[in-house]
Each structure stands twice: as C-alpha cells, then as structure tokens.
C-alpha cells in the first residue's frame, strides 16, 4: 500500500529529472474584492483528472514530459513582504538548478516574487502579461504591494527589458496615461492582437510569462476575484498560448487569480487546468 | 463620524447639481418564470465597487460627472397599476426638473411608467429597445400589464414615434406576425446590426432607451428571470452602447431584469454595473 | 379535476398520433467525473415552460406538431447491460411503429442502445455525432461499455455506414491515431465546419443524430459531467441543427449529458430545452 | 408505452376513489422578502421519490391509501383576488364531493381561499395554525390581502370558531397586542406546547390545519421566503403532527411557503415531502 | 427626492441623539480557512429588512430607541496593525462621547482594537466571550496578531479584569492547558451554562461583550470562516443574550465572523441580524 | 523541495508504524437518489485543515498517534462486484498486518467488502450500525448489491454475531417486519439511546463499526445522497462515539455517504472530518 501524492495531472517526475517545476503560491492577502485565490493550487490538483493529459492542439501528451509538482508553498496570511520573500527563494532555487519555475497563484501580487528571482538571473528580462487589469497603480489603498500595483513594481525592477500587456480592459485614468508615457510598456487593450509583433521583437531574449486568468471573459471564467466583463474567449487565449512556441527563451511563468470558492460550476477550475496543460506543453 | 449613503459608484452629486438621476424600481410582480429582479437596485449599489469608475473605452471617469443616485422607490408588491403610477410620477418629476431619468428595474414592465412620463413631455418620443423577447403580446395570462406585454403597451402610447427593437430571439407566432404588420416597429432579430441605420433616422429626435439585460447571452448574464440562449456578446453590446453617442436627444433610459438571486457567481451583477456605467458616460 | 401529465413543452399528442416519440433514458452509471445526468429528463420537463413553443428561426410552433412524451424509462442503476437492453427495446418498438425515437440521456452510453435498434432496422445506418469528446476508446477503466467508449462500440455495429464527428476537442493520443486510420470515421475538430459536406454525402441515407451537449462551450453549458473549455457557441450549434433540414432520412436522435445538479443558474437546462425544440422542429 | 403522470409519491388514486385530494396553489405575488414559493408543488412532486412511502412512526404506507394528486392550479401572477377565487372554487368542489382538500402553497395567502370554502360548509370552523409569523396585520404595504395579513382575514371569516397558533416568534407590536385582546385567538409563542390542550377543546369540531413550513427552524428549513431563526425542530413538528390523530374532524389542510430556489441542498424540499406524507397518513 | 442611507434596521437616529453607535469593521486579513467576513457589514444592512424591528422576547421595538449606524470603516486590506489602529480610534471617539460602540466584524481580530479603546477608559474592564474557538494562541503561523490569538492579546491588555468564555469547543492542547493555569480566565466548554454565575460576579463592573457567531452550531450558522460542528442552538444563544439584561455596565460590544459569501441560503445573515437586534435591545 | 502528500490531518505515519490505516473507497454506483459520495475521500483530505488535530472532548491530539492515510483505492465505476472485491482485499491486508482498517466511503455498499474481510478473520464478528436507513432490503431495483441492501447482506455473512442498529428512521414495511423477526438484529429507531446496553453485551467481542453519516440530521449534514429529516444531533453522535471507548475489541470501522457536491456550505465535509477525528482518537 502506498500513499499517492496528489500531483497536478501527470506531473509526477522527480525534482532532479524535471525540466519544469510547478508550485503553488497560496497568497491572497491584498485582494480587495473577493479573496480566495489561496485555494487555487489545491483545486487544480484535485480537479485536473477531469481532462485528458493529451493535447490535440499540440499532439503532445503531458505524460511524455518530465514535470515535478512541488505542491504549495507554506505562506503566511496577511504578510505580503514575507510571502514574496519565500516565493522569490523558491523561484531562485529552481532557476539555479537550471529548471523553469511555473507558479500557480494566489493573487497576482505573487508574480513580483518570481520576477524578482528571474531578473536577478536575467538582467534583460522581459515580461509578457495577459490580464483584464493593467495592475500599474503607483499604490492601492495606501499600499505599494498589491495585486493592483504588481506590474508597476515589476516595471521598476526591469533593467532594459520590456513589458507587453494584452487583453487589458480595466484601469484608472492615471494608469491609462502612465502607459502612454512609459517607453518600455506596450499595452494592447481588449484583445490579444499584436502578440505576434511582440514575439518577433522578443526572439532569443529572456521572457517571463504572467497570465492573470481574468483576461478571459467571465462567461468562461467566473471564478476569480475581480471578474471584468468583455474579456477574450478561450479559443483566443489558446491561440495566443500556442503562439508562444515561437523561438523565445521562456525562463519562468505563472498563472494566477483562480478563486475556486466562486467557481460553483467547476468550469473555471477546469479551464485553469487546461490553460496550464497547454502552457506547459508549449514551453517544453 | 458620518453615515455614508450607499450610492452606485461615484453617483454622489446632489440632486440639484445632477444632470442625470439614477433610481431603482424594485417591482417584479408579473414575472412568470423566475421572480427576484426587485433586488437589482440594491445589488448593483453593493457590488459596483468591484469595477473602476473610469471607462477606457470612452476615456471618461464617472467621478467627473454629476449624477445623483436617488435610491429605490418604495413600490407595493403585486399591485402593478399603483407601482407604474409611482414610477411615472418619479420620472415626470426628474424630467420636469430638466434632468434625465435613468431607471434600474425591476422587471421590464416598469418601463411603461417611465415611457408614460416621457411621452407626456415629448409627443414624438421614439424608443430603442434591446431585448431577447419581443414583449409585444396583446395580453399575457389574462393580464394587459405584464413584462410580456410592455412594449405593446408602449407602442399604444406613442404618437408618431417609432420603436426599434434589437437582439430579439423569442416571441409567439402572433407577435412575429404583428411586427410585420406594424408600420412603426422595426425589429432586428438575434443581433444588434442595423442600429446605425436607426440612429441616422433618429437624429435630433427625442429617444427613450430601454435595455432588457437578457439581450445578452446567458453565458455572460445568467442572473435574469427568463434566460434565453443565443444572445449577443458583451463586446457587441458595448459597441452598440457607444454608438448611442450619435447626436440623439436621449430623454430617458432604463436597464432592467437583473435578478441577483440567480447570479451565484456575481458576474451578472458586475456586468449590469458596467453596462450602466458605460450608458451613463455615453449619454453625458 | 384532472391530473395533468408533466410533458415536455407541447409534446402532448397521443402515442398513436405522434410522428416522433420523446423518452428519457436516466442512466449515468459509468460517469467518471461528475454523475447526475440521470436527472436530465425530469429537469427539461419541469423547466421547458421557461421558453416559448414557437421558433422564430424556423417559423414553426411545436404546438402544431404531433409529438408524444413517453416519460423516462425505468432503468436499473449501475447495470449498463440491462439498461442498454431496455433502451434498445423502447427504441425498437417506436421504430417498428413507424415513428422517430428521440431520446434524452442520461450519459452518452445510452446512445448505444438506440443505435443498436436503429441499425437492426437500417443496415446502412450512418451517425452524425456532435461532442467535445471522441468517445472512441477501446475500453475505459477496464470496461468496454462506457461513456468514453460509446462511439467505438457504435462503430463496431455499423455495416457500411459512416460516422461524422463534429466539435471534438478532447481525446487520447490513441483515439487521435485511431481516427486517422479508420476509413469510415470523419472527424472535425473544435468546430462544426464541413457539416454541409457531410450532409451532401448522406443525402437520402438513413441517419442517426447523437448530440452530446458538452459540444457547447461550458460558458453556455456548465451543467454537464465533463465540461471541456473551447466548445462551440450556441449560435453555431443552432446553425448546424437548422442545416439538418437538408433532405436526410433521420431515423433517430438523442440529446445527452445534461447534468442538472451542476446547473446552478438553470441556463444549461434551458439551453437543452431550446436545442431539443429546434431539433424536433427541424426533423418534423 | 404510457405517459406516467408525475404525482406526489403514491398519490395515484383516481379522483372518484380518493378520500383526500392534493393540489398545488402556485401563487407568491405578495411575497415581500424572497418570492418563489410558486415552484413548491412541482418541487415536491419531483423530489418525493427521495423518501419512502412508509412511515415507521405510524406504521402506515401511503400506497395503502386512496389519494389523488390533482396537480397545480393555473393561477394568474400578481392578481391575488382572482387567484384566491380559483383556490376557493377548487376547495369547494373537493369539499362538495365529500373529500378532504390538501393544498400545497404557494405563499401563505393561499390559505384564505381554502378557508373561505371550508367556512361556507362548516359555519363553526376552527383553525390550527403552525407558523413563525403571526400573519395578523390589519394590512401590509397598503394591501389587505397579503401573506402577512392572511390569518387576520381568516379571523374575520370565522363565525364562532377559534384560531390556535403555535410556534409564533415574529410579529409587530400591534399584532402582539391584538392577540391579547382577541377572545378567540390562542397564541403559543416559540414552541408547540399546549397543542394537546387545544386538541381536547376541538374534539368533534370541524378543524382546518394550516402549516407554514417556516415554523421549522431555518437550520432544517432554509428554503423559504422569510426564514426566522429560533424555530421548532423537525422532531417537535413530527410529534405535533402525530398528535392530530386525536378525534378531530379535519376538513381541510394546507402546507405552504416552501421556496425551492432557496433550497440549494434539497433538504427543505425533502422535509416538506416528509411533513406532507405524515400529515396525510395522520389524517387518513 | 432624497437619497436614503442604507442603515441597519431602524438605526436611523442622528449621531448626537444616539446612545449606541453601530459601525462595521470590514477586515479579514488573517483568516486562515475561508476569508470574506469583510462583507458582513454590507450584508446585514441589506438583509435586515427581512425581519421585524420588534422583539416579542423583550416586548421592545428598535424603532423606539436611538441608534446610529455609522456605516463601515475604511480599513486597509492585509495591514492588521493599521486596521486595528483605526478601529481603536473609532471606538475611543464613541466612548469619549458617552455612547456605546457596537462593532460588526470582520474577523475576530477586530475585537482587539475596540478592547484597547475600552480598557483605556475602564482600567478594570472585563470581557464576556462567546465563541467556538478559544482564540488563546500565543501566535499563529508566526503572527502575534491573528483571529486565533485575539483573546490572548486582550488578556494581556486587561488590568485586573476577568475573561469569561462560553461555548468553546476547539483549541490546541497548549491553549487548553493555558486556560487551566490562567487565574483570570474562566472557560465554559461546549455550552453557555454558568453564564448566570459570571453575571453575578460582574455586577456593576465594566464589561465588554464579544460574540463570535461561530459559537452557534453550523446547522444554523454555516456562513462563517471556520465552522465548527457541535455548537449551541439559536434558542440557547437567545436565552444567554437576554440574561445580559442583568445589572451590568456594558461599555462596548461586537459581533463578528459572519462571512456572507458562504451563506448561500441567507439564513446566517438573517441570524446575525436577529442576534444584533436582540443584543441592542437588551443593552438599551 | 519536496512533494507533500495530501493526507488526512496528521495521519502521516508510515504504514509499518501505523496501528490504524485510513483509506478511501470512492464507489457510488448504486446510489439511487443523488450520487457523488465517490468524491468524499478527496474532500475530507482537502478540508481537514479547517479543524484542529486536538480533541478537547478526549484531551488527545491526533499528532500523538500513528495513523497512515493510504489514499483512495482505484475502484471501477459501475461494477459493484469488482469494487467490493478490491475493498475486501485492501481490508484483509490491513487486518493481516495486525492493524485496524478505517474506510471512508463511498456509498454504504462499500461496507460489505470490509465486513467480508473482517468476518473471515473474526468468525463471531458483531456490527454496530449508525444510520438513518435500515438498509435491510432483500433487493433493490432488482439488485442484491445495493446501498439499500448492504446490512441485509452483512447479516447473511455473520456467523453468530449480532447487529445493533441506531438512529434508524426510514425503511419499508417489509424491512420493519423483518427486524422484528430477526433474532440477532436489535434496532433502535430515531435516536442512539440503548447504545450503552449494546456495549455491555459486546464487551470483549470483535466489533465492526459502520457509520452512515446520514444518521445525523440534515440540518447539520445536508451533503449526503439521501438526506432524511429527523436525525440525531452532532452532540448526540459525539456522545455515542465517545461511549465506544468502552472495553470493546474494535477490529474495523467505516464512515460513509458524504457527498461533497451537495455540500455547498462545506459544513458537511467539516462535520465528517470531526467525526473521523473523534472516532480514530476513541479507537486508539
């Protein structure tokens, strides 16, 4: 008799063999509207058996690739500084071992920890950012570390790299104006068009992918903290993900903002599972 | 310490300063399938803080406009005649004060009260009607005043004006035939195409806008009394709303049929909030 | 006073007068992810009064056609062999009486019983199959009779007939390769394009239609056992259904995999009702 | 093949043979808090197969008694006067045929129609009333016909009979004072004690039983329009129901205020089914 | 026309006239299991119209008392120190004005801010604590400020006063042992017996009441962050609350841990409303 | 970095060290009303961190005992014979290794597999059975292996041992009569009284405990396949469990019929976790 660990579908390689390491970052302490993304890691592991390991889009099977699921980090609630520090350490370790960190949030702020680790290793790191929200506020409710400021903080970390945003449809007037002044941020509103242009420019450069699942329309993805109508379809997101097979140097990736307790039908969780499966198979 | 009224996002002007007055009409007494739209006003006020006050589509911020949220009217349950009379009085007062009434239903029947007030002031009033259902029955379950007859009743009130329907995908055979005979009703089935034609014809004329939210597909708007598959997308509705910035004389507007108790995920309520935000910013 | 049977909307003809006979097959014994489709028949009967009997698409009213709703079969739980045998008997009786059997699942395995009856009568039977899943496994969890193997079993029954699959977006690598080798299976992935080609080839031939409702995107159809993101829209499915008015010899039909307990908003059930209404009106 | 009517468990006698006739009164037009009790009749019929027909408490089986389920009446929405008139007619017919009418609400106002019929036949009719609310307002929101006034209206109809209330825990100060002045109302607050005293006094007299299911604590019965914490337990209600086997002349009965759309777990509906089963078996 | 503030039932006195001031403390940053109590204040205001303002238990009506509802404080998410500071300021102001602060949480940690203000004014303050959990940890997940440590922190603040705990049924072994050593903590496990003893000892002394709603059994109160089976009934809690009319000097009070998003049936929110109504009417 | 297995709270001993082995039996193929208990094992593991490992009732902490959580067995859907065979093998292995098997269902039929293994080892095995339903049918829907027949099947296996049933409140008339004739079945209806008598008689004898969680009232345990109003309270069940510390020889135990998808509030799952914690701590 043997205790079977509850890994995300077919991600049962050993750490040493793995080229990509999945881990959860269960932090949602700055969520202003509806918290609960801390439960996302557990949810995708439990529900991932609802879909196949095989991608007909890519004609690849996750069972044929070496991925290690490290489980969720043990993050403190309500202490953003400490949580980000632990995330950074985890990502830095994986990077140092020559593997790709693939983080499952948590709220979007967790990205800052991983980008910090990535930029330490790749000075000219670039970021591709899929989201409904610009996340470019200078501060939010008096805090500099927030899900609403995370890309602004990432922007401050970059040294020469670029940020490409896609699907953005919610922001303040100040954020809208900030983007127009910022030389190294390219923002595509509402849809994912022009991703191909970005990919050409990023060829051969180190890239971090951060995907806030609320870039999807809430019709297909209601289970998130701040649902924003008018998002992209699942088919559009699939197409964009598959375009990432372009010759990039993807050094890290995260998928965040699934909030399972707002996912009564279970469709958001399954959608997150399929997005993660396709992203991993595209990267590997 | 000060008791903060719970207004719809940023609609905190004084009545006197306001150009547009928002009010709720919590009546659902004739709902045949799933009642509960009486709770819509309270729901959109409580949830409106989930989205921004700024519209990137229009590059306008609701905080820069003078809107007064008058709260919900105190309507009797199950007495349609009295409820319509109170709605008419409220709308007439706002119109007499040179302001635009913006009503949040309630079931669709509430429109009749507001149109009654508007047509008293603007003899040649026209109506733009977004809906899944034609609402053109002569009577329904033996009643002449019903959510299923409301546009037929409005049609009887108009004196020379036209009704333009969009997105209609449910009706009886009798309603279908009635539209074909009615000289002053133009019905666009299934989608919102040809709105531009209508707007050209309505230039400079007084127009009342009535938007039954079930014109949206139930994938994005399940929280309504009679969900009808095959509706328009949120993006299509946004585009239509923004076309209303055409040089029209919009004298009144309503948004109706949100039924929050059927909105388990909260997405329908947020969608209603965003539709209202964009409509107000387009009108002002 | 008279006890009114609870038939699906307007399907209140007598058996003898009916050209088409609706019946439920409440079996979900092999569902691997989320069971509950056994409740679908009861749900569509109870909720069908939420939509009209008239189809504006087809300008036909269900009240003008003779359809008999025979209620649900009394199937044993957890005994697939016996359940399929009872389904086969029911379908065979209806076929022998010169009527069209229209079955409401239950899980997809129920199709095997009806196809068995149909192929006994029409040796050269063909199948049009709408689904998210290929259902072409040789076996599943050690069982040959399963919702995941049902079309493979149907394939074995056919004698010269063809299978046309549409909307398929989930399968194993083995299934994907099997289709490429199978001479008489034509699979269209992701969408419903090329249905017109199939219809031309099937002109005048006996055809059985099996529609797994999860072919629809889970945004509009979350209430199903194995929701699979990336499906077709309701409008696309409507268009496909209406194309079936092509001169075919439709000898049987089923609609399956509605699981009402996962349909919190009620939208999936109403969607199933509308699909069934349009299918019946197209066939008759 | 035969279309099986969807009767409440084992209530499949013919009308002529039946000693007791069950019928639904789907009206909720005056519900002030959460409407939806109109769906109760359909819900108890669909879910009644979840419990046995045999009562171990009474050692009787519903299959051994002749009960006819007449389905739901066809009541107009939002027209209380007309709805009450139809209910009165139905109850009067059943009474005239020497049978016991057993009505399933709907909101509590429906009781007025049945009591009207009963008092026409039995001048000295008495009422036993189980409820959380006194329902003794003179008027409510300006209306005399309301779920909140129904027992006051019944009180006005009685000619010498008494009203015994049990479990009452919500009222206005005016209602509280009214009861203390009314000579022929006996109110037991919070629990069902003293029912035995009432039964002794009512021996041999004609009695109508009206049971508002919200007399139960919302822990066991959340699916109702106005849940009121602090109610009686299911065991207490069972005991009270079984005490009604006392030598009374029960001439009519109703059970009301199940609102199935607020019954997410299904427990309220099953509870209503069991209450109805035990009431019928006690009366017969 | 006048914008009506959305106060808790009948709490519409002016601040100056009020003897008791209700305010919300929407903070849930340290919730470890299920967050969301930040929404409690808005929920009880919106739903309080579902019950009467009159208490038959006390024969008092809230409309006859001067209570001011100050709305929710504007607290930062995820910054416990700052949130507690703002709560302390609010409570201190109310106390300084000679009024009783009545706080609606939020998670239980909010109590610390109010107790801090109360102990500054009343050196010999005592605390009556109703809860499922002891909340006496020295620290929790490395944090000293947490919902799981709040009574330990309050204990450190007291100068001679006593803490009386009731209904406690969950703790660590360390907490269990701590209570046995602590001279000024009296803990009653599982039920509310011995409250009368405590009240005798507290006669005439300043007392702060903190009521974690999860002291109730989850059957009646599922809508909370950490439901703990085996709690007290609503009737038991009512009786305890009414005992507080004993000659105490109640200087402050809070009710916390309602988490409305886990309250699908609405019963928890209504229960909280009734508890608050009875508490206010008992104190005043 | 280390992949943490997802064990039930603190059950992280090795198999060799463990005195008690927990395992899940995810089978619900014969559920007639609402399936889904197959998900119970996963649910209790995921949610068990919501309560403490320490029992204040017993003053014991699960962390101080050696328990191994073997995860869920890999059972086929819809094949009861094969599922029972696998369960029997698992239980027999644990028994052969001198450990106590503790099974988490699944539907109640799974008990038959474990009792089969236990009776093979202990010829004079006795069964203590907590349940709402007698489960003593000779067959159900034509099947001999069913959740409704499982105790009848167990009864046939026993060789001299006794069955003691508690809390039974639903059965057919035939089952009721069967118990009265059966010499070695003692049935306590509605409550758990007389358990002490049974324990005295069972002193020193081998006993298997089977606990169908629907013995609890649906107010505290709605998340089950066939909720039956009128059950025992959580406090009553706790008391009964703690009585099992009587000098018995408990050789096996199971807890079954949690159906998490019907547990919207999460309270049923937490209740199951607490029942299991107390049972393990009582047995060890």
């Amino acid at each position: 008799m043997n205790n079977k660990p509850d890994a995300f579908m077919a991600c049962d390689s050993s750490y040493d063999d793995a080229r990509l390491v999945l881990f959860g970052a269960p932090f949602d302490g700055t969520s202003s509207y509806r918290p609960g993304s801390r439960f996302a890691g557990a949810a995708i592991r439990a529900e991932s058996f609802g879909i196949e390991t095989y991608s007909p889009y890519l004609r690849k099977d996750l069972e044929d690739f070496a991925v290690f699921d490290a489980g969720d980090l043990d993050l403190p609630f309500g202490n953003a500084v400490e949580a980000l520090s632990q995330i950074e350490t985890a990502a830095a370790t994986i990077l140092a071992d020559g593997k790709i960190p693939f983080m499952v949030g948590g709220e979007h702020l967790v990205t800052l920890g991983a980008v910090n680790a990535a930029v330490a290793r790749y000075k000219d790191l670039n970021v591709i950012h899929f989201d409904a929200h610009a996340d470019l506020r200078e501060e939010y409710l008096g805090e500099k570390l927030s899900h609403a400021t995370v890309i602004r903080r990432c922007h401050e970390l970059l040294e020469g790299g670029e940020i490409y945003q896609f699907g953005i449809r919610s922001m303040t007037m100040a954020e809208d104006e900030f983007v127009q002044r910022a030389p190294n941020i390219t923002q595509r509103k509402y849809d994912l068009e022009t991703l191909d242009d970005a990919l050409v420019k990023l060829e051969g450069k180190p890239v971090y992918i951060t995907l806030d699942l609320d870039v999807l329309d809430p019709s297909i993805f209601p289970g998130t903290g701040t649902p924003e109508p008018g998002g992209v379809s699942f088919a559009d997101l699939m197409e964009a993900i598959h375009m990432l097979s372009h010759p990039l140097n993807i050094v890290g990736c995260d998928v965040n903002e699934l909030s399972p307790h707002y996912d009564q039908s279970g469709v958001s969780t399954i959608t997150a599972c399929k997005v993660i499966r396709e992203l991993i198979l595209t990267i590997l």
Side-chain angles (χ1 to χ4, degrees), chain A:
Chain A
M1 260 185 182
N2 227 327
N3 194 326
K4 238 183 13 183
D6 189 27
F8 184 77
M9 55 158 91
C11 295
D12 50 5
S13 150
S14 72
Y15 180 76
D16 288 346
D17 290 347
R19 262 193 64 205
L20 185 149
V21 176
L22 192 80
F23 67 98
F27 180 82
D28 59 11
T30 81
S31 296
S32 49
Y33 190 46
R34 310 191 302 186
S37 59
R38 71 179 70 167
F39 302 109
I44 58 153
R45 285 187 192 94
E47 300 301 318
S48 64
F49 76 99
I51 56 169
E52 305 282 355
T53 54
Y54 174 70
S55 165
Y57 308 91
L58 299 168
R59 297 196 180 253
K60 288 178 175 178
D61 195 310
L62 205 47
E63 295 195 332
D64 300 333
F65 294 88
V67 179
F68 175 69
D69 178 355
D72 276 7
L73 299 179
D74 233 342
L75 303 178
F77 300 101
N79 189 329
V81 173
E82 174 62 18
L84 287 176
S85 161
Q86 291 188 26
I87 291 166
E88 186 178 349
T89 302
T93 304
I94 296 165
L95 286 165
D97 291 339
K99 302 170 195 304
I100 299 170
F102 192 113
M103 177 168 59
V104 176
E107 60 160 64
H108 207 162
L109 180 59
V110 299
T111 298
L112 186 57
V115 164
N116 232 327
V119 88
R121 202 163 183 85
Y122 303 94
K123 292 297 169 213
D124 54 338
L125 187 77
N126 301 272
V127 174
I128 296 179
H129 173 214
F130 300 98
D131 205 332
H133 309 88
D135 291 354
L136 286 167
R137 289 181 186 236
E138 177 52 31
E139 61 173 51
Y140 185 60
L141 300 171
E143 301 286 335
K144 303 217 47 156
L145 296 178
S146 162
H147 66 103
T149 67
V150 59
I151 302 301
R152 185 69 168 265
R153 291 295 90 75
C154 289
H155 180 252
E156 292 164 358
L157 287 178
L158 295 193
E159 305 179 10
E162 305 265 339
I163 293 176
Y164 293 87
Q165 298 189 309
F166 297 92
I168 312 298
R169 58 193 184 276
S170 177
M171 69 210 68
T172 62
M173 195 180 283
E175 286 175 281
D176 208 359
E177 292 166 357
F178 174 77
V179 169
Q180 284 159 54
R181 290 193 316 267
N184 53 349
I185 302 180
T186 307
Q187 184 187 77
R188 174 70 189 185
K189 283 199 179 78
Y190 313 125
D191 60 35
L192 311 178
E193 304 293 318
T194 72
L195 175 59
D196 47 354
D197 297 343
L199 295 180
V200 167
K201 288 187 193 142
L202 290 171
E203 263 173 36
K205 296 186 188 166
V207 175
Y208 184 92
I209 314 279
T210 180
L211 193 158
D212 186 326
L213 286 157
D214 67 19
V215 72
L216 285 164
D217 194 66
S219 57
I220 185 65
F221 201 78
T224 190
T226 44
E228 184 77 33
V232 307
S233 72
F234 184 80
D236 287 345
L237 184 58
M238 276 295 102
E239 195 188 338
I241 286 172
H242 296 146
M243 286 170 68
L244 298 174
S245 62
H246 197 89
L248 299 176
N249 177 19
I250 298 177
V251 302
C253 183
D254 67 61
V255 170
N256 54 69
E257 292 287 1
L258 167 66
S259 191
H261 290 181
Y262 293 100
D263 180 32
Q264 287 91 345
S265 69
V267 168
S268 306
T269 303
I270 279 292
T271 297
C273 290
K274 199 163 173 181
V275 163
I276 294 170
R277 183 190 78 189
E278 294 297 309
L279 264 172
I280 294 177
L281 287 175
T282 298
I283 293 174
L284 293 181

